[in-house]
Amino acid sequence: MSAIFNDAQRAAIRHLDGPCLVLAGAGSGKTRVITHKMVHLIESGFAPEAIGAITFTNKAAQEMAERLQKIITLPKGRRPLVSTFHSLGMQILRQDGERLGLKRSFSILHADDCAGILAGALATTDRKLIRHAQHQISLWKNALLDPDLAADQSTQAAEHAIARAWREHAATLTAYQAVDFDDLILLPVKLLSEHADLAQRWRERLRYLLIDEYQDTNAAQYELLKLLTGPRAAFTAVGDDDQAIYGWRGATLDNLRRLETDFPALKLFKLEQNYRSSLTILGAANRLITNNPKLHEKKLWSEHGTGDAIQVVPCANEEAEAESVVIRLHAHRFERRAAWRDYAILYRGNHQSRVFEQWLRKENIPYVLSGGQSFFERAEIRDLIAYLRLIANDDDDSAFIRAATTPKRGIGTATLTALGDYAGSRQISMFEALFETGLESRLAARQLQTLREFGEFINRINWRAAREPAGPALDDLLAAIDYRSWLTDSQDEKTAATRWRNVCDFCDWVKKRAEEEGATLAQLAQSIAILSQLDRRDAEADAVRLTTVHASKGLEFPHVFVVGCEEGVLPHLGAREAEAETEECARVESVTDGRGAAEDARIQEERRLMYVAITRAERSLMLSWCRERSRARLSRPQEPSRVIAEMDLPSGASGSRATVSNENAHARLGALKELLDAARASK
């Protein structure tokens, strides 16, 4: 093993005799350990293609696969499987889902397509209620419940109604030959649990598993891992209980506890040497996290030296906070001759970014916003992409369902359910099925006519898309479906105008690309699968990163500003204050032994969230909080977050120093500008 490792890393890499848990602290080199353990497995005689590394994001999987290829070059067919949990689940279902009645070309429906189906089952158009129902059903699926069990366990009328709607929703998906995101874990668990021969075949296919970010697994994912590893238990789980921040979506620390019970031969390794942060930052992180109960004691240490003192800055309000952060960032960069990409501003909820964006733009500071909604994930863009996907591949059932129902054209759930049932029985796509004579026995003449009119429309667009310039074909598609009028009729004026501008921006981009490449609309549609990646800015762009703490996990920056460090914000304890916070501010209720236990669980997860935030910093860290913050158009007094006191920072870094007001923020900004102007003039 030519690479240099510390003793704990080397021991974790070399251990192949039985199950293994690697507790990897922040910045301790866990990805390096996983990739080099794959190499060690290969060098020890494991067939490369029989090794699987499971991650939580496509980005992490791609990074791991790229790292592995740099260490050991393998032909494409002989490489280890490096994928997300959901990608692995999809592969299992594509190969063996027929045992559950799924055709190989089943569709995976996007969340907002599922929302439309669920809205019908709930008989409501209340978006908040629909989102709540989706979240609740997701938690039930992650806990391995089915609609009947969920209904039996529901103690409130609202939950019982959601469980009933889930039963109808599930039946519709079955008829559509479709699954949702959570089904990609739930259904493989059902498949392998009910069919021992398939479980054994997949154990032979993947003889050794490495699981990244193990602390983020939910009950369904844990069961899938147990089914895949079987009695041999050849696996390495890598995680950190101090960075478990996804309880609100069903992840449970019980999975770490269960490992020692379910696998008595489990060998534990701790990676405590941090290669990222200064001793000052690690000391604050260690002191903070000691306030949480520990599964395994762990204390990070570093050889990077003391580093800069941590600053805590109280501000008058959000405006003063944004100004202060921008001033300090600007001055710090000037003093250190640093790059913009060296800086990150982290916050608890997406709604907090707006005022920082305004000040960064005002000062002409480049920034990248991440953790929010991708342009290509917007509903109006996904609507158009559905048509392009259908042009590229008329076997794409999920694209067919979305295009057939957006805008509304008289094709409802009952019609699609009958079409889906027929297509499933014939093992063909829904688009192909609508032209078969056998469908006439399943649908009323009017339903059939509407479906076939839509199918003929798609065929006409397809013909033009393959032969005519992309611009006119796309414009005529929009005109034919009368999309702008549909937006106006179904949305308020402001929302409709915003969404139409987004549609125009997307169409302009498609036309420009078609002109540059000399491509038809049909040719462009062939690459539609990568469109959702096109709005990602270069990760190496010289720009400040604005991101939620959740989205910052796995990242690192020389200099970090954590803003909004106040009670009620971080930790977030109350009801959700803004729609943008929907997921990340969801209350943690997966561990409840009464109200007190639920409250403790929330505080512990928020503390872990802060731990993640401060361990993103390499050399300098600043925490800011507001003495007043606007909520529901009222200015309300705030208190500094308890996590600041729990860091036990040296005197001089406390939140008791003078408040940064708008006036002195402006004065400092003016002085900084004079300094910068003088520096530029002297060059």
Side-chain angles (χ1 to χ4, degrees), residues 3 25 34 54 89 106 109 128 199 258 343 508 547 602 612 664:
I34 293 172
I54 313 302
F106 65 84
L109 294 190
K128 288 185 179 180
R258 290 176 62 188
Y343 296 84
D508 288 344
T547 179
R602 282 195 290 274
V612 167
N664 58 32

Side-chain angles (χ1 to χ4, degrees), residues 330-345:
H330 212 316
H332 193 277
R333 175 180 176 272
F334 178 73
E335 292 168 1
R336 302 294 181 93
R337 300 293 190 268
W340 294 119
R341 71 171 70 92
D342 293 338
Y343 296 84
I345 300 172

Side-chain angles (χ1 to χ4, degrees), residues 30-47:
K30 69 177 179 65
T31 303
R32 189 163 173 259
V33 166
I34 293 172
T35 51
H36 280 273
K37 186 154 192 173
M38 283 192 277
V39 173
H40 183 59
L41 283 162
I42 295 167
E43 292 173 345
S44 300
F46 276 80

Side-chain angles (χ1 to χ4, degrees), residues 154-171:
S154 297
T155 57
Q156 298 177 356
E159 282 190 357
H160 203 76
I162 293 172
R164 289 198 306 271
W166 178 19
R167 189 182 292 115
E168 183 178 333
H169 175 264

